[in-house]
Amino acid sequence: MKLRVDDISAEERRLNFAEPESEMNHALSVGPLQEYRILRPVEVRIAHYRAGTEVFLHGSVRAELVAACARCAEEFTTHRGRGFRYVLAPAALDDHQDDKDEIEYTVYQGDEIDLTPMVREQMLLALAERPLCREDCRGLCARCGVNLNEHACGCRTEAGDPRLAVLRSLSVKRPVAH
Ligand SMILES: [Zn+2]
Ligand SMILES: [Zn+2]
Protein backbone atom coordinates (compact mmCIF):
# COMPACT_ATOMS: atom_id res chain seq x y z
CA MET A 1 0.00 0.00 0.00
CA LYS A 2 1.33 3.43 -0.96
CA LEU A 3 0.26 6.89 0.15
CA ARG A 4 0.72 9.93 -2.03
CA VAL A 5 2.29 12.68 0.04
CA ASP A 6 0.08 15.26 -1.72
CA ASP A 7 -3.00 13.40 -0.47
CA ILE A 8 -1.90 13.75 3.16
CA SER A 9 -3.29 16.92 4.72
CA ALA A 10 -2.77 18.77 7.99
CA GLU A 11 -6.04 17.29 9.15
CA GLU A 12 -5.79 13.73 10.44
CA ARG A 13 -7.38 11.12 8.23
CA ARG A 14 -7.86 7.42 8.76
CA LEU A 15 -7.14 4.60 6.37
CA ASN A 16 -7.85 0.90 6.80
CA PHE A 17 -6.48 -1.70 4.43
CA ALA A 18 -5.38 -5.31 4.22
CA GLU A 19 -1.75 -6.06 3.42
CA PRO A 20 -1.12 -9.40 1.63
CA GLU A 21 0.54 -11.94 3.89
CA SER A 22 2.55 -14.01 1.36
CA GLU A 23 5.79 -11.98 1.54
CA MET A 24 5.64 -11.89 5.33
CA ASN A 25 5.13 -15.66 5.43
CA HIS A 26 8.18 -16.06 3.23
CA ALA A 27 10.22 -13.92 5.67
CA LEU A 28 8.89 -16.02 8.57
CA SER A 29 9.71 -19.31 6.87
CA VAL A 30 13.39 -18.45 6.35
CA GLY A 31 13.95 -16.45 9.56
CA PRO A 32 13.98 -17.16 13.29
CA LEU A 33 10.16 -17.08 13.56
CA GLN A 34 9.34 -20.31 11.76
CA GLU A 35 6.77 -21.33 14.37
CA TYR A 36 4.37 -18.69 12.97
CA ARG A 37 2.38 -18.59 9.74
CA ILE A 38 -0.05 -15.80 8.88
CA LEU A 39 -3.41 -17.11 7.68
CA ARG A 40 -4.92 -14.13 5.86
CA PRO A 41 -4.05 -10.54 4.89
CA VAL A 42 -2.84 -8.38 7.78
CA GLU A 43 -5.42 -5.83 8.96
CA VAL A 44 -3.85 -2.37 9.05
CA ARG A 45 -5.39 0.78 10.54
CA ILE A 46 -3.51 3.99 10.01
CA ALA A 47 -4.16 7.64 10.80
CA HIS A 48 -2.02 10.14 8.93
CA TYR A 49 -1.43 13.87 8.84
CA ARG A 50 1.27 16.24 7.70
CA ALA A 51 3.08 19.22 9.20
CA GLY A 52 5.10 20.87 6.46
CA THR A 53 7.18 18.12 4.89
CA GLU A 54 7.01 15.79 7.91
CA VAL A 55 4.40 13.05 7.79
CA PHE A 56 2.99 11.56 10.99
CA LEU A 57 1.54 8.07 11.01
CA HIS A 58 0.07 6.08 13.84
CA GLY A 59 -1.97 2.93 13.83
CA SER A 60 -1.97 -0.79 14.37
CA VAL A 61 -1.42 -4.10 12.65
CA ARG A 62 -3.27 -7.29 13.47
CA ALA A 63 -3.22 -10.76 11.96
CA GLU A 64 -4.65 -14.20 12.45
CA LEU A 65 -1.95 -16.86 12.58
CA VAL A 66 -1.22 -20.51 13.04
CA ALA A 67 1.56 -21.05 15.55
CA ALA A 68 3.38 -24.13 16.82
CA CYS A 69 3.58 -24.10 20.62
CA ALA A 70 7.16 -23.67 21.88
CA ARG A 71 6.55 -26.22 24.66
CA CYS A 72 4.30 -28.96 23.24
CA ALA A 73 4.68 -28.32 19.46
CA GLU A 74 0.89 -28.46 18.93
CA GLU A 75 -0.41 -26.03 16.30
CA PHE A 76 -3.02 -23.51 17.36
CA THR A 77 -4.73 -20.46 15.87
CA THR A 78 -4.07 -17.10 17.49
CA HIS A 79 -4.08 -13.35 16.85
CA ARG A 80 -1.11 -11.02 17.17
CA GLY A 81 -0.89 -7.28 16.74
CA ARG A 82 0.70 -4.09 17.96
CA GLY A 83 0.43 -0.34 17.77
CA PHE A 84 3.04 1.89 16.15
CA ARG A 85 4.00 5.45 15.37
CA TYR A 86 6.20 6.77 12.63
CA VAL A 87 7.43 10.20 11.73
CA LEU A 88 8.67 10.45 8.15
CA ALA A 89 10.82 13.17 6.70
CA PRO A 90 11.84 13.61 3.07
CA ALA A 91 15.12 11.75 2.55
CA ALA A 92 16.99 14.92 1.54
CA LEU A 93 15.97 16.76 4.73
CA ASP A 94 16.42 13.94 7.23
CA ASP A 95 17.94 15.33 10.42
CA HIS A 96 16.62 12.74 12.88
CA GLN A 97 19.45 10.22 12.62
CA ASP A 98 20.42 10.58 16.26
CA ASP A 99 16.96 10.47 17.79
CA LYS A 100 16.32 7.49 19.99
CA ASP A 101 12.68 7.43 20.88
CA GLU A 102 9.62 5.21 20.95
CA ILE A 103 8.57 6.96 17.79
CA GLU A 104 10.35 5.62 14.76
CA TYR A 105 11.84 8.19 12.45
CA THR A 106 12.21 7.19 8.88
CA VAL A 107 12.39 8.81 5.50
CA TYR A 108 10.39 8.83 2.30
CA GLN A 109 11.68 9.26 -1.23
CA GLY A 110 9.88 11.31 -3.85
CA ASP A 111 6.14 11.94 -3.60
CA GLU A 112 5.00 8.53 -2.32
CA ILE A 113 5.22 6.72 1.01
CA ASP A 114 5.35 2.94 0.77
CA LEU A 115 3.58 1.57 3.85
CA THR A 116 4.35 -2.06 3.10
CA PRO A 117 7.85 -2.19 4.69
CA MET A 118 6.47 -0.57 7.85
CA VAL A 119 3.58 -3.02 8.04
CA ARG A 120 5.97 -5.95 7.60
CA GLU A 121 8.37 -4.63 10.22
CA GLN A 122 5.60 -4.07 12.75
CA MET A 123 4.03 -7.47 12.11
CA LEU A 124 7.37 -9.22 12.68
CA LEU A 125 7.87 -7.20 15.89
CA ALA A 126 4.42 -8.35 17.02
CA LEU A 127 5.72 -11.94 16.87
CA ALA A 128 8.66 -11.39 19.22
CA GLU A 129 7.24 -13.65 21.93
CA ARG A 130 7.55 -17.41 21.79
CA PRO A 131 4.15 -18.91 20.97
CA LEU A 132 2.45 -20.86 23.74
CA CYS A 133 -0.81 -22.71 23.11
CA ARG A 134 -1.82 -21.54 26.59
CA GLU A 135 -0.03 -19.79 29.44
CA ASP A 136 0.16 -22.94 31.56
CA CYS A 137 1.04 -25.35 28.74
CA ARG A 138 2.72 -28.33 30.42
CA GLY A 139 4.74 -29.27 27.34
CA LEU A 140 6.10 -32.70 26.50
CA CYS A 141 7.52 -35.16 29.00
CA ALA A 142 11.30 -34.98 28.65
CA ARG A 143 11.56 -38.74 29.20
CA CYS A 144 8.73 -40.36 27.23
CA GLY A 145 7.62 -37.50 24.96
CA VAL A 146 3.93 -37.64 25.93
CA ASN A 147 1.99 -34.36 25.61
CA LEU A 148 1.38 -33.62 29.29
CA ASN A 149 -1.67 -31.45 28.48
CA GLU A 150 -3.42 -34.59 27.22
CA HIS A 151 -2.02 -37.46 29.26
CA ALA A 152 -0.30 -38.15 32.52
CA CYS A 153 2.61 -40.45 31.74
CA GLY A 154 3.72 -41.47 35.22
CA CYS A 155 7.39 -40.54 34.72
CA ARG A 156 7.17 -37.72 37.29
CA THR A 157 5.74 -39.87 40.05
CA GLU A 158 8.43 -42.58 39.86
CA ALA A 159 11.09 -42.38 42.50
CA GLY A 160 14.40 -41.35 40.94
CA ASP A 161 15.29 -40.93 37.30
CA PRO A 162 14.64 -44.10 35.25
CA ARG A 163 17.77 -43.44 33.14
CA LEU A 164 19.88 -43.39 36.30
CA ALA A 165 18.18 -46.56 37.49
CA VAL A 166 19.29 -48.28 34.25
CA LEU A 167 22.87 -47.08 34.77
CA ARG A 168 22.83 -48.26 38.35
CA SER A 169 21.67 -51.73 37.31
CA LEU A 170 24.43 -51.89 34.63
CA SER A 171 27.15 -50.92 37.08
CA VAL A 172 25.93 -53.55 39.48
CA LYS A 173 25.93 -56.27 36.79
CA ARG A 174 29.33 -55.44 35.25
CA PRO A 175 31.57 -56.76 38.08
CA VAL A 176 29.49 -59.94 38.16
CA ALA A 177 30.08 -60.57 34.43
CA HIS A 178 33.88 -60.35 34.74
ZN1 LIG B 1 1.59 -26.10 24.25
ZN1 LIG C 1 6.77 -39.38 30.58
Side-chain angles (χ1 to χ4, degrees):
M1 172 62 80
K2 288 181 177 171
L3 273 178
R4 283 181 50 80
V5 177
D6 285 347
D7 293 340
I8 302 172
S9 67
E11 192 179 321
E12 183 171 287
R13 281 194 219 148
R14 291 175 188 282
L15 171 69
N16 296 344
F17 61 96
E19 187 70 33
E21 75 281 19
S22 56
E23 280 297 317
M24 280 176 267
N25 276 335
H26 177 70
L28 292 174
S29 70
V30 298
L33 295 167
Q34 293 177 15
E35 54 274 77
Y36 288 106
R37 182 164 44 84
I38 301 169
L39 286 175
R40 56 189 98 256
V42 175
E43 296 164 36
V44 187
R45 293 160 180 269
I46 279 181
H48 57 73
Y49 63 95
R50 191 149 73 109
T53 56
E54 284 194 331
V55 173
F56 296 79
L57 299 175
H58 63 96
S60 63
V61 292
R62 183 171 163 81
E64 187 177 7
L65 309 102
V66 166
C69 177
R71 287 190 196 146
C72 72
E74 287 291 317
E75 289 203 333
F76 61 101
T77 304
T78 185
H79 287 86
R80 289 286 189 279
R82 66 182 257 127
F84 59 82
R85 280 176 186 279
Y86 284 96
V87 178
L88 296 99
L93 300 176
D94 179 32
D95 58 356
H96 291 297
Q97 301 285 5
D98 300 327
D99 280 304
K100 297 277 182 215
D101 199 285
E102 265 180 44
I103 295 172
E104 301 212 36
Y105 284 101
T106 185
V107 298
Y108 62 89
Q109 308 272 0
D111 56 5
E112 275 187 338
I113 294 174
D114 188 357
L115 299 174
T116 299
M118 287 177 250
V119 169
R120 289 181 188 164
E121 177 182 31
Q122 293 300 322
M123 201 58 234
L124 295 181
L125 288 170
L127 303 180
E129 281 180 27
R130 292 194 319 158
L132 291 180
C133 63
R134 57 191 215 210
E135 277 303 310
D136 62 346
C137 172
R138 300 168 72 183
L140 304 177
C141 173
R143 288 170 201 162
C144 71
V146 142
N147 184 336
L148 296 170
N149 297 314
E150 293 167 5
H151 302 286
C153 61
C155 296
R156 279 154 191 260
T157 55
E158 280 175 23
D161 185 324
R163 287 169 301 182
L164 293 179
V166 169
L167 290 174
R168 273 196 299 273
S169 69
L170 287 175
S171 63
V172 167
K173 281 171 191 163
R174 199 172 289 125
V176 175
H178 286 282

